[in-house]
Amino acid sequence: MNIAANPVVEADQTVYLKDYEKPSFAVDSINLNIQVYTDHTNVNATLVMKRQTAGDLVLLGRDLELKSITLNGTPLTANDYSLDAEQLVITNAPDEVILKTEVIIHPESNTQLEGLYQAGSDLFVTQNEPEGFRKITFYPDRPDVLSVFTTRVEADKKFPVLLANGNLMEAGETGEGRHYTIWEDPTKKPAYLFACVVGDLAVLKDSYVTSEGRNVALEIYAVEKDIPKCHIAMEALKHSMQWDEEHYGRPYDLDNYMIVATSQFNMGAMENKGLNIFNTSCVLADEEFTTDAAIMRVQSVIAHEYFHNWTGNRITCRDWFQLCLKEGLTVFRDQSFSEDLQSAAVQRIDDVAVLKAHQFPEDSGPLSHPPRPDHFVEINNFYTATVYEKGAEINRMMSTLLGKEKFRQGTDEYFRRHDGQAVTVEDWVAALTAGSGVDLSAFLIWYNQPGTPKLEAEGEYDAAAQTYRLSFKQSLKAHAKYPNLKAVPIPVALALFNAETGEQYTLNSEALFENAVKDGVYLFDQDTATIEFTGVTAKPVVSLLRNFSAPVNLEFNYSDEELAFLVQYETNGFNQWQATQTLLERILLNGHDAEIYVQAIKNTIPELVEKDPLLASRLFDVPSEGYLGSRIDADYQPAVIQEKRNALLDTLARELGEFCKATYLALDPDLQKEFSQAMGVRALKNIMLSMLARQGDSEAFDLAHVQYLNTGNMSERLGALKVLVWNDAPQAKDTLADFYNRFKDEALSLDQWFMVQAAHPKATVESIQYLTSHPDYDLGTPNRIRSVSGGLNANPVNTWGFGVQHYIDLAKYLDEKNPIVGSRLLQVLSRWYTLAEPQRSDVKTALEALKSQVKSKNVAETLNSMLSI
Ligand code: 0A1
Ligand code: ZN
């Protein structure tokens, strides 16, 4: 390993949680004047500061051209401070400081999409989480410095919209075709929540009256033609505001709430105080242009950013190690919100599917880290599935254990204690404990250690004694950086079913032997334990981890028949689905007979189609090649997995062909009144269609083509397009051309056009090159890059074949242009070490060759971790 050639990842770049120190100065207020010009932007800042502890006055700043600096009215010269690429340090500063600085920045050439940047010809926006504000002005840019912001924004009048956080205090003209606005944000906030926007945008307006009687003006800004696509987001915003009042007692606290949509954004969206900035993909929703899945995502991201107002903004993080404090809790809240919007079982299935497909592999590979890591080089690399999704699971476990009422008492106490503060994960768990009266401190272990626990369970039925014993054992894979791994508290939600009648046994405390199973939840918090149920009159089938009550890998020796039983009789939709997944994995990887699954499906679906068509569609999920690959730790051969999966799909298509056709023809989404039901019907129809097409049946292609042409709904159109393109149907080429012509001016729809082609199972270097050299491909727009790179990654055989070079080239290019995105895309290759030879060595060599060619902390840290296995 050549560290010397790679200075950015030397040991001293690492930041440790244990080194946390309070900032030496507090900032009482900051006054900003931001003047945007075509070729530069002037930023004047006045900071009113007070000393808190001994030490230097440290102001962070990156890529800033310092024009002037005065301290308490006296201009400073270069001898009065030290300045390097990262910070400006003033030693011996007095206890009270008024610091004025004037800097020049260049948003017009900022390709990293951090700080203030130009996003297309008509828009300037900011992205300051986690460390973007230091690219706008010199500031103690850390989340535990909270201040009152006043912002003046000035620009040419060709940009009519000038926004910043808070209340609009003044607006006017400055002459020479320019104008300005002044905004005051009354709430103290850390700099990462600062935002401003300059642009030519239209606006959708609405309002909401809070439970406290505050009338809040709601505004969504987007380019004129996208305004009709903002209504779903607006409804979701109002719904979220009400939901947070009802479920957490949290009303909104300002007189306005603004959302701005931009097509150039590194992530999904950002919760800046009262002025959210959103990737268009997370705010624009319209049945004609975006899919049902995208519409659901818009609603959940709108809720997520709104919920941050309390969990993140009013109570923020003391330091970035605590990121999961705000993200884990806010994801848990948005997941709960979404469970109210559609089939709750399906919402849970989808959330767990994401967890298992992304977080579990992350946690078992070289990028594994605790939800609250204790060190990092580049914090941008820690916006991970572990911090977000596993963080959410920890909160869910505590909420499951406490039940609704006690959890609410706990959150009430958290808001009561910490409103207006920057706090830690310990503070959160302590408040939940105090409020609920239940000691939850053992859950801190979950925050502090990496890895997915293995939960092994065994059941034993004694017919004579009518007892059923369940034994549990937990274990964790050793981790070099976190040696002291402990047993974690695992809430196991469970049910017993009578194998003969299909009925559920009532579990009451008298029926219990050792530890209590309360409300169907057993808290397993030792290395091993056994519980016993009495009065079990016939052989039971046990259903464990209902609703996925803990983020663990469960091993239980079910027979295929028991799994089929659960598909049919389990009343928890999540566990019904889980049973199908376990069965299908066995058929795929261990050669079990497919017939038992086919039969269970035939017995279950017809009734379910009426009740919950979306859940019915999910029971046809066949684990993806990527997911199956992620379960293999050595000698992984993507082509072998592909072959097995294709064989299974062929079998299912053969066995279920007639059934699929009948189901497809019987369903009509237009007959459904509710969006969620119609969405379910569309999902089910698309799956039926893809099964029919697997047999190469030209009738199926005709059906797909008719579906494509006769609909105004994107889920139906895209579902049909995928069937035609991925099966190389005769109509594929013309239909793709038709899609392009219909949607060439709709960026989000066009992203799908790129994605469908990139995700073709038989994509090649040439077909990907055709896409990346297409005039509509744009390396400056992360959404477009992701549509091709994400599409390509739908087929691991391609990812690990010609795809390796694609990701390496992108990482190399983005290392300078946009390291946040570059680093994330490179992570696609993080499980290289599981491959069989010679692929393993080939990918390793390619990754090693990249090391000397990258400069950013982001890509370098990721690459180093990936190679440190
Ligand atoms: N806090 C946002 C996520 C976010 C993080 C970083 C960003 O830019 C580098 C942008 C957004 C959220 O959780 O929604
Ligand atoms: Zn968030």
Side-chain angles (χ1 to χ4, degrees), residues 127 129 267 269 271 304-305 308 326-327 380 383 388:
Q127 173 50 45
E129 185 184 3
M267 314 278 271
E271 69 263 24
H304 180 95
E305 306 310 331
H308 265 316
K326 76 176 176 84
E327 296 306 343
N380 273 298
Y383 286 78
Y388 275 65

Side-chain angles (χ1 to χ4, degrees), residues 158-411:
K158 74 178 176 195
F159 303 115
V161 173
L162 306 173
L163 309 175
N165 321 77
N167 301 314
L168 178 63
M169 308 306 290
E170 199 181 311
E173 311 223 343
T174 64
E176 294 176 357
R178 295 175 66 79
H179 65 154
Y180 73 95
T181 53
I182 297 178
W183 299 78
E184 259 177 33
D185 186 353
T187 24
K188 280 193 156 206
K189 64 170 178 289
Y192 82 87
L193 293 173
F194 169 78
C196 78
V197 173
V198 169
D200 183 7
L201 297 172
V203 59
L204 175 71
K205 294 189 181 190
D206 207 325
S207 65
Y208 178 83
V209 181
T210 69
S211 53
E212 294 175 332
R214 182 190 293 276
N215 198 336
V216 187
L218 309 177
E219 301 181 337
I220 303 185
Y221 290 84
V223 296
E224 180 92 52
K225 84 169 172 50
D226 286 339
I227 291 293
K229 306 183 192 100
C230 295
H231 292 282
I232 292 177
M234 183 64 91
E235 289 310 306
L237 175 59
K238 289 186 284 182
H239 188 179
S240 310
M241 295 177 91
Q242 196 183 353
W243 194 92
D244 215 14
E245 290 180 0
E246 272 171 32
H247 292 80
Y248 285 85
R250 299 296 111 201
Y252 187 60
D253 55 354
L254 288 177
D255 296 334
N256 63 1
Y257 193 91
M258 300 175 278
I259 291 176
V260 174
T262 170
S263 56
Q264 285 186 338
F265 202 72
N266 282 343
M267 314 278 271
M270 180 63 213
E271 69 263 24
N272 317 301
K273 183 79 190 183
L275 176 53
N276 291 181
I277 295 178
F278 267 64
N279 189 322
T280 43
S281 69
C282 292
V283 66
L284 305 183
D286 183 297
E287 287 197 30
E288 187 183 348
F289 301 106
T290 63
T291 61
D292 293 338
I295 291 173
M296 294 311 295
R297 178 158 160 78
V298 163
Q299 301 182 71
S300 93
V301 179
I302 289 279
H304 180 95
E305 306 310 331
Y306 176 73
F307 295 159
H308 265 316
N309 190 54
W310 275 96
T311 50
N313 298 3
R314 286 183 70 136
I315 305 182
T316 193
C317 302
R318 187 194 71 173
D319 53 72
W320 289 121
F321 294 102
Q322 319 294 329
L323 181 59
C324 71
L325 170 77
K326 76 176 176 84
E327 296 306 343
L329 180 51
T330 307
V331 171
F332 172 58
R333 276 149 54 71
D334 84 54
Q335 289 179 348
S336 315
F337 170 82
S338 297
E339 281 171 19
D340 289 354
L341 294 185
Q342 63 159 340
S343 158
V346 173
Q347 182 64 38
R348 187 66 185 134
I349 288 168
D350 291 353
D351 291 335
V352 174
V354 168
L355 185 83
K356 288 191 173 185
H358 300 286
Q359 200 278 324
F360 278 25
E362 181 172 275
D363 226 353
S364 71
L367 302 179
S368 166
H369 54 275
R372 185 190 42 198
D374 66 10
H375 64 278
F376 60 73
V377 173
E378 169 55 65
I379 181 58
N380 273 298
N381 283 335
F382 286 80
Y383 286 78
T384 59
T386 297
V387 167
Y388 275 65
E389 267 72 39
K390 188 173 180 180
E393 293 300 320
I394 302 173
N395 291 310
R396 182 182 290 267
M397 285 189 285
M398 293 192 286
S399 136
T400 301
L401 202 64
L402 293 180
K404 258 202 172 86
E405 208 175 304
K406 285 203 171 123
F407 186 68
R408 174 67 189 270
Q409 288 164 352
T411 58

